[in-house]
Amino acid sequence: MLKKIVMRRMWRLKPDIRERVCSRLESYGLGKEFITFSIRRGDKVHEQFAKLVGMDQYINAAEVAIVEQFGGVPPSIFVATDDCQIMSKLREIRPGWRFVSECDEHDASGFDLRRVRAWNEDETDEHFYKFFTELYAMASAKYFIGVAYTNVSWWAFFMRQTRHNFVLLDAKHGCVDCVFNHW
């Protein structure tokens, strides 16, 4: 509960950064009802404990959401990811769906903590603009589909207005409370 209070009432982007982030997000024309996928790869592929969730699991969860929450009509899907290579795969799997992402404008090969020290100021700023745009999309989406093994999902969770429509593919039955109870 304390994290939710901090995220909603105390943590804010500086006005100029918030304006730039919101402008980027608005440029995708998502409207008020869209799905967000949070797909974490990057350096997680090298971590032994991380069992990465496949694209088919995201698609299956979206198909359920589309029927239950969107009247059977696929909404736009904003993909927040650190591995832009997955965008072509998603579009290949469901060519009739509209996937949008910061990857379309700002290609990224995957976040790797080991490379951060080598970034210059512009690269660092761009990384965080992309990150905050994705975070705002995840927090404002009608339906969130992601994984518990990235902190980004938890940031989005605590920023969201409700726990409804928040699915973690690597949690038992997608149950967020199950993850909390496990801790």
Side-chain angles (χ1 to χ4, degrees):
M1 183 65 163
L2 183 59
K3 290 178 184 174
K4 185 179 276 191
I5 292 169
V6 168
M7 293 303 291
R8 284 202 193 147
R9 295 189 355 212
M10 298 175 186
W11 182 81
R12 299 281 187 268
L13 295 178
K14 291 180 177 181
D16 60 317
I17 295 171
R18 185 177 61 244
E19 177 63 33
R20 184 168 177 180
V21 164
C22 289
S23 177
R24 283 170 79 149
L25 191 54
E26 287 173 11
S27 73
Y28 294 108
L30 295 168
K32 292 185 178 185
E33 295 197 348
F34 62 96
I35 295 173
T36 298
F37 287 178
S38 175
I39 302 174
R40 177 73 162 95
R41 296 283 189 267
D43 53 8
K44 291 291 183 191
V45 299
H46 304 296
E47 295 179 12
Q48 293 177 354
F49 71 88
K51 183 180 177 193
L52 301 180
V53 172
M55 294 304 101
D56 57 322
Q57 291 175 272
Y58 282 91
I59 296 297
N60 293 341
E63 287 174 338
V64 170
I66 290 165
V67 170
E68 293 178 357
Q69 300 291 322
F70 299 93
V73 179
S76 296
I77 299 175
F78 185 94
V79 181
T81 186
D82 62 343
D83 184 2
C84 293
Q85 296 175 28
I86 57 98
M87 292 304 297
S88 60
K89 181 158 179 77
L90 288 170
R91 289 174 176 140
E92 179 182 306
I93 294 170
R94 288 293 182 273
W97 291 7
R98 180 175 180 256
F99 295 98
V100 298
S101 175
E102 281 285 283
C103 291
D104 295 330
E105 300 294 325
H106 312 280
D107 189 34
S109 60
F111 179 77
D112 189 333
L113 189 59
R114 298 170 293 189
R115 292 187 291 196
V116 172
R117 289 185 193 170
W119 290 351
N120 63 35
E121 187 174 333
D122 289 340
E123 291 168 321
T124 302
D125 288 352
E126 185 52 41
H127 167 79
F128 283 108
Y129 285 125
K130 177 183 180 294
F131 170 75
F132 289 130
T133 302
E134 292 174 338
L135 190 58
Y136 272 45
M138 290 184 282
S140 61
K142 178 176 181 177
Y143 205 94
F144 174 96
I145 301 169
V147 291
Y149 58 75
T150 176
N151 293 328
V152 177
S153 291
W154 296 109
W155 279 58
F157 176 76
F158 289 115
M159 289 174 69
R160 292 174 61 84
Q161 295 300 311
T162 69
R163 286 186 177 186
H164 304 296
N165 301 333
F166 189 91
V167 175
L168 296 173
L169 297 172
D170 56 338
K172 187 176 185 178
H173 308 295
C175 176
V176 175
D177 289 328
C178 298
V179 175
F180 280 123
N181 295 337
H182 178 70
W183 286 349

